[in-house]
Amino acid sequence: MSDSVAIEPLVLDNISIVLINTTHPGNIGAAARAMKTMALSKLVLVEPLEFPSGKAHALASGADDLLTRARVVGSLEEAVADCHFVVGTSARVRGVSLPLVDPRACAGRILGEAGSGKIALVFGREDRGMTNEELQMCHLQVHVPTDPDFSSLNLGAAVQVMAYELRMAWLAITRGEVPLPSPRTHDLASQDDMERFYEHLYKTLVQIGFLDHSSHEKIMAKLRRMYGRIRPDRIELNILRGILSETGKFAESAGSSEEAQKQ
Ligand code: SAH
């Protein structure tokens, strides 16, 4: 008799590996190979320099189906629009103090979330990684605890480390060693909903005079981090949008009555 737990393959299908602006097509192939060996299949490429490419196929070494089905998009925002959980990877620990985890802890978190919707695991450029703005779209930052004096893995190697940890976490669940996380019962807001909310929030905070041009970047980064921690569901986000709309209307009518008094 087997003690193994049936875990929907769908859980792994919910995980996308996103590569931003990859310069060397060979790294895209190496990433595809790393993914396929660990049963991951969704590859998303944000404006790759050269793709499709024979060099990618050469390094994919049999994982060509992942390259053929790879989704190519114009921005990270587009790549993660339908995701409710986004994880960024970084060779350096950044000033944007997102919650920081190692790959093992991260894999557990991702599988815990993957039963409830789509997840993106994002990798940066070979020369300069992810920008701070891109990391601000993430809920979590993962760092492979390399030697601080030589911390940067090759992109394909970084994908392999993460894919391996996801595989180990998945196997632990299928063997019944770790409980299968239950899916959420409420519908979390997608990253696209969140980005539209942040735009609305920014506009309203400028309108009421809370933000000015010198302070807005730091404050918006902190607000994004706070809402990323809270992770509102769709209904909660609609309530917040409603409050912003009413605040905007109130500020507008207060502004026009002040104008009328002056005349
Ligand atoms: N010079 C860049 C390194 C880019 S390496 C920098 O300092 O950020 C290309 C990508 O591989 C990184 O953006 C990241 O996604 C991944 N990567 C490399 N080393 C990593 C590490 N130690 N931990 C997590 N991700 C890493």
Side-chain angles (χ1 to χ4, degrees):
M1 205 184 76
S2 155
D3 284 340
S4 70
V5 176
I7 171 167
E8 291 274 332
L10 190 69
V11 171
L12 291 182
D13 286 349
N14 273 350
I15 304 170
S16 290
I17 300 294
V18 180
L19 309 183
I20 304 176
N21 293 159
T22 310
T23 312
H24 301 293
N27 281 335
I28 300 177
R33 181 178 185 177
M35 289 168 64
K36 192 161 168 134
T37 52
M38 301 293 146
L40 295 170
S41 60
K42 298 265 159 52
L43 178 61
V44 183
L45 305 172
V46 180
E47 290 199 318
L49 191 72
E50 187 188 327
F51 190 82
S53 156
K55 290 176 211 149
H57 282 275
L59 270 285
S61 186
D64 303 77
D65 54 328
L66 267 69
L67 296 180
T68 314
R69 281 186 284 117
R71 189 158 70 92
V72 180
V73 296
S75 66
L76 179 60
E77 214 170 311
E78 193 181 340
V80 302
D82 59 351
C83 296
H84 75 278
F85 193 63
V86 183
V87 179
T89 56
S90 178
R92 292 167 289 139
V93 178
R94 307 296 186 90
V96 188
S97 47
L98 282 174
L100 182 72
V101 289
D102 68 23
R104 199 152 297 169
C106 178
R109 280 291 301 275
I110 290 180
L111 285 190
E113 295 286 345
S116 311
K118 296 194 174 158
I119 315 288
L121 177 57
V122 186
F123 294 82
R125 302 152 186 85
E126 291 97 331
D127 57 346
R128 55 193 178 94
M130 292 176 71
T131 64
N132 285 345
E133 289 70 32
E134 286 162 350
L135 278 170
Q136 280 171 24
M137 286 185 205
C138 302
H139 294 92
L140 204 62
Q141 185 183 173
V142 57
H143 171 68
V144 181
T146 39
D147 184 338
D149 294 334
F150 197 72
S151 64
S152 175
L153 292 164
N154 162 266
L155 175 59
V159 173
Q160 186 73 77
V161 170
M162 288 308 305
Y164 169 72
E165 291 296 345
L166 284 167
R167 175 88 181 150
M168 290 304 282
W170 184 83
L171 285 172
I173 294 173
T174 59
R175 290 178 187 140
E177 296 160 7
V178 171
L180 181 65
S182 30
R184 285 176 200 280
T185 47
H186 53 289
D187 208 3
L188 286 178
S190 68
Q191 198 56 32
D192 188 43
D193 296 331
M194 291 309 297
E195 289 302 330
R196 281 186 286 118
F197 166 68
Y198 293 133
E199 271 168 37
H200 196 171
L201 180 64
Y202 172 73
K203 212 178 100 199
T204 311
L205 294 180
V206 170
Q207 190 183 7
I208 64 173
F210 181 77
L211 282 186
D212 64 35
H213 290 293
S214 59
S215 65
H216 78 268
E217 271 179 27
K218 275 194 181 147
I219 292 180
M220 282 311 293
K222 286 190 193 310
L223 287 170
R224 289 179 79 107
R225 193 177 61 190
M226 181 185 80
Y227 284 108
R229 201 163 59 228
I230 297 169
R231 300 180 65 206
D233 64 30
R234 281 178 202 276
I235 296 172
E236 290 163 342
L237 199 66
N238 278 341
I239 295 171
L240 289 171
R241 294 286 301 263
I243 294 172
L244 291 179
S245 298
E246 290 309 314
T247 307
K249 281 187 215 158
F250 190 78
E252 210 172 279
S253 66
S256 23
S257 60
E258 229 172 73
E259 274 303 304
Q261 271 173 15
K262 278 189 209 156
Q263 283 164 13

